[in-house]
Amino acid sequence: MDQTKAVSASTLGGKTVVIAASGGLDSCTITRWLADQGVRVICCTLDLGQPDEDGFDNIRARLLTAGAADVVILPAVEPLLKAGMQVIQAQAWYEGRYWNTTGIARYVLVSAVTAFMRDNGYTIFSHGATGRGNDQVRFQLAANMLDPQLTVYAPWRDPAFLEKFRGRAEMIDFCQARGIPITASKSKPYSTDANILGLTHEAGILEFLDTPPTAITPIMGVHTTDAPEQPESVSVTFERGIPVALNGTHLPLLPLFIAANETGGKHGVGIATHLVENRFVGIKSRGVYEAPGMELLGSCYGLLLELILDRRARELYDLVSRQVSRQIYQGYWFDLATSMALQALEPVTRLASGTIAVTLYKGAVRYAGANGVTSSLYDPEQSSMESVGSFDHADSEGFLRVLGISARALAHAKQVRGE
């Protein structure tokens, strides 16, 4: 097939299509619809540590009932956690405080599925992302970059599919009429996308700005109003940018992250974060996010960086951080700019060792202490307001006289903005 042209279902009859399938409404509908067109459908479902999942056996059963020729479960929790740590090391949240949890998971998914396709000789990749969202860009660009020979079929950009299905209601009717045991219903007020790093809630009642973020039912924790009345002290120890201990107990990354999710979620940390964001396609959308572990670990890492980075390094770090965040959000995780940006952060990551203590209370993560930060630039003797130390206040006299030369020059040249 010509990879540069749009693909429609009418051209896929008799061919094999590999779908990135969650087992939800969209993937069940697409699987059944393609099977009805004479397409052999293979569904790839990733184990991303989804906290809302009812079991992969149930997913397999749904997709087989929907007409899949085969359902393959691909393990991906470890690579997702590794990517999540890169997000934390870059402090790569998008706009308000969205930790790019869904975005970064798309690249892990596409990497796993395209590797499976390569190993088995499949050439047509499909996904259920809509034609007005960010995920279609992430799926398409990641697949194009990782295997430029792949053909990408997007049902939500196929006029024949769009004519049949205008939205969730038609898909629900379609699946129910064919006995596919979907969990979606017309009464469900919003949709959720989940992985171990976090949850994205959107659509339905959340599209209306007068619906508060508390309208969601949290899966990874509680709303702040339901959080404990007593604060909790938590410490996180990092070694070269990786969290290795929680409250002094050394743990591998997976159980540590699970514990961070549980601890943060219990106190409402990173739960029901509301954001009206700018999608890459040019429209605004509203999301309500849950990411307690990312918020807890990411906040502690940010506090660690405050001790390590000098002024010039901080300025460069912030530029790189924003670049990485945009790259993730807009579909460019695998390109040269991302590789360059991540390599630029490596010197910082190597220095990021030490323990940060925080207090969790009603959704807040507050600094409580730091120790063992071997690369810290903070010296209480130098910055003290109580004692001179090795920094002689009088030395600032000459420093300010030098700075004053340019300040006076600006005044003489009438370049100073007056009141």
Side-chain angles (χ1 to χ4, degrees), residues 6 45 120 134 151 156 168 183 203 270 281 283 296 396:
T45 299
N120 292 276
N134 298 307
T151 297
W156 283 109
R168 285 170 53 86
T183 57
V281 294
I283 63 174
L296 171 55
S396 292

Side-chain angles (χ1 to χ4, degrees), residues 119-146:
D119 291 343
N120 292 276
Y122 301 125
T123 60
I124 306 174
F125 169 66
S126 182
H127 59 80
T130 69
R132 64 176 64 174
N134 298 307
D135 280 337
Q136 61 170 340
V137 181
R138 296 163 184 156
F139 282 128
Q140 183 92 27
L141 296 187
N144 291 161
M145 290 181 193
L146 294 176

Side-chain angles (χ1 to χ4, degrees), residues 21 44-51 53 56 59 72-80 108-109 112 194-196 254:
C44 281
T45 299
L46 265 69
D47 178 1
L48 297 168
Q50 299 93 322
E53 197 43 71
F56 290 102
I59 293 176
V72 180
I73 309 298
L74 300 175
V77 174
E78 293 293 342
L80 179 57
V108 174
L109 183 156
N195 62 65
I196 194 171
L254 177 55

Side-chain angles (χ1 to χ4, degrees), residues 38 54 68 76 96 115 191-192 198 215 268 295 353 368 389 403:
D54 58 357
S191 65
T192 299
E295 182 64 27
S353 296
L403 293 179

Side-chain angles (χ1 to χ4, degrees), residues 327-346:
Q327 292 284 105
I328 297 170
Y329 194 83
Q330 295 179 0
Y332 295 102
W333 176 248
F334 291 116
D335 79 355
L336 180 60
T338 302
S339 296
M340 293 171 63
L342 293 177
Q343 288 180 39
L345 294 178
E346 286 183 5

Side-chain angles (χ1 to χ4, degrees), residues 298-313:
S299 296
C300 289
Y301 194 79
L303 292 168
L304 182 61
L305 292 181
E306 289 182 12
L307 302 174
I308 294 170
L309 299 176
D310 69 15
R311 181 173 63 247
R312 294 173 300 282

